[in-house]
Structure formats: C-alpha cells, structure tokens
Amino acid sequence: MSNYLGRPKLKIPKTKSEWIWNIIGYLCFFGSIIVLLYVWRTLPDKVPAHYNAAGEVDRWGSKWELLILPFVGIFIALLLSILEKFPEIHNYPNRLNESNAEQFYLQSRKLVNQLKNICLILFSLILVESISIPLGWGAGFGIWFLPIALIGFGLPILLGIMRLRRIK
C-alpha cells in the first residue's frame, strides 16, 4: 500500500531504544509537572521567565508563566508523536525505494523520537530550574546549559544523518 507520495506504508514495531527514550522523556516531563504542582502554593509571585545565553535570569515574570512550558512541551510531544507515526511523509533522498524504505523509515522515526524526548527533557530541566531558583534550591543554569542543549540536539541529528547516508 502506498501513500500520496507513492511511498510504501509500512508497519514497523517500535525498537527497544525508542521505548527507553519515551520512558526517560515522559518520566522527566511528567515528573517536572508533578514538582510544579507540589510547590505551586509555595512559589513566590515572581519567578525566572527568561534566561540569557550565559544561563542567567534576565527577566522575571508571574509564576503563571511557568504553565507555558508544560503546554508547549505537550504540543511538541503531540506533534512529533504524529510525525513518528507516519515516517513515510518524512523527507528522504531520491534513492528511497521498496527495498530500503524500511531502513529509511526506521532511522528517521528513531531520530524524531530522540528529538521529541530531548525536547521533553530540556523543558523539564528549564521548568525545575525556574522553580528551584525562587525557592532557593538552585543558583541558575550557568554557562553549561546552552552548549549541552546544542549538543543534545545537534549530536542526534548528526548521527542520524550519518546513518541515513549509509543506507544503500
């Protein structure tokens, strides 16, 4: 069976790594929401609302702004979960054919899965840090956050592209 792009529609079971990434990503994400709910009443009215490239708070806002992070995280998770479900609509090179479609789909789906869960983990870290600072639990991200976030996204993309290039 083919889709509107003339590509085969295949049913490929989730891999163990996809399950592990999902467990880690969703546990971190929902764990951070539980922490937010647990400390909500004790949070001051002003909490960190934005960080600069050095990881320092450069804007304070209402604690209600913290709700933006879970909602954006849910939106990203839903959107990327839909993309995971339909790997045949992803962008592929012209060499995609019936014999290598399963390899392309699997590698592309795994990359989307990793990026979805890295997003959830990063949103969790930002939410917990934005809770920790006003409660006196932490001093801020520091200079390490931006490089780790860039590596966290860049490395899977680079490795995923390399794996896709090896498919004949």
Side-chain angles (χ1 to χ4, degrees):
M1 180 168 51
S2 295
N3 70 5
Y4 69 97
L5 295 170
R7 296 179 181 160
K9 177 140 178 75
L10 305 174
K11 181 88 169 146
I12 306 168
K14 277 191 188 248
T15 64
K16 191 174 188 177
S17 69
E18 289 172 296
W19 283 108
I20 291 169
W21 272 105
N22 281 340
I23 289 168
I24 293 169
Y26 285 112
L27 275 177
C28 287
F29 186 69
F30 290 117
S32 69
I33 293 172
I34 290 168
V35 170
L36 176 62
L37 294 173
Y38 183 74
V39 300
W40 184 260
R41 290 178 184 249
T42 61
L43 281 173
D45 290 334
K46 295 290 182 198
V47 297
H50 192 267
Y51 299 87
N52 64 20
E56 301 160 341
V57 177
D58 62 3
R59 186 175 78 76
W60 293 78
S62 165
K63 70 180 183 179
W64 291 95
E65 289 183 51
L66 292 176
L67 298 177
I68 294 169
L69 292 168
F71 283 111
V72 171
I74 290 168
F75 175 76
I76 289 172
L78 286 173
L79 180 66
L80 292 179
S81 292
I82 291 168
L83 284 175
E84 270 183 273
K85 203 171 181 79
F86 302 102
E88 66 275 3
I89 67 170
H90 299 183
N91 192 22
Y92 297 104
N94 289 335
R95 69 180 192 279
L96 178 108
N97 57 47
E98 293 278 338
S99 65
N100 63 15
E102 184 172 351
Q103 290 176 289
F104 272 112
Y105 291 0
L106 182 60
Q107 289 305 319
S108 187
R109 189 183 74 195
K110 286 169 75 171
L111 177 58
V112 172
N113 176 272
Q114 289 173 5
L115 293 175
K116 171 189 73 179
N117 287 297
I118 290 168
C119 281
L120 291 176
I121 293 166
L122 287 175
F123 274 97
S124 303
L125 288 172
I126 295 168
L127 182 58
V128 169
E129 194 64 22
S130 296
I131 292 167
S132 299
I133 292 170
L135 293 178
W137 299 349
F141 288 123
I143 198 76
W144 62 268
F145 186 78
L146 185 59
I148 288 177
L150 291 173
I151 291 168
F153 282 110
L155 192 59
I157 291 170
L158 182 64
L159 294 173
I161 290 170
M162 289 170 49
R163 283 188 208 107
L164 288 169
R165 290 189 70 168
R166 282 189 233 133
I167 298 172
K168 301 287 180 211

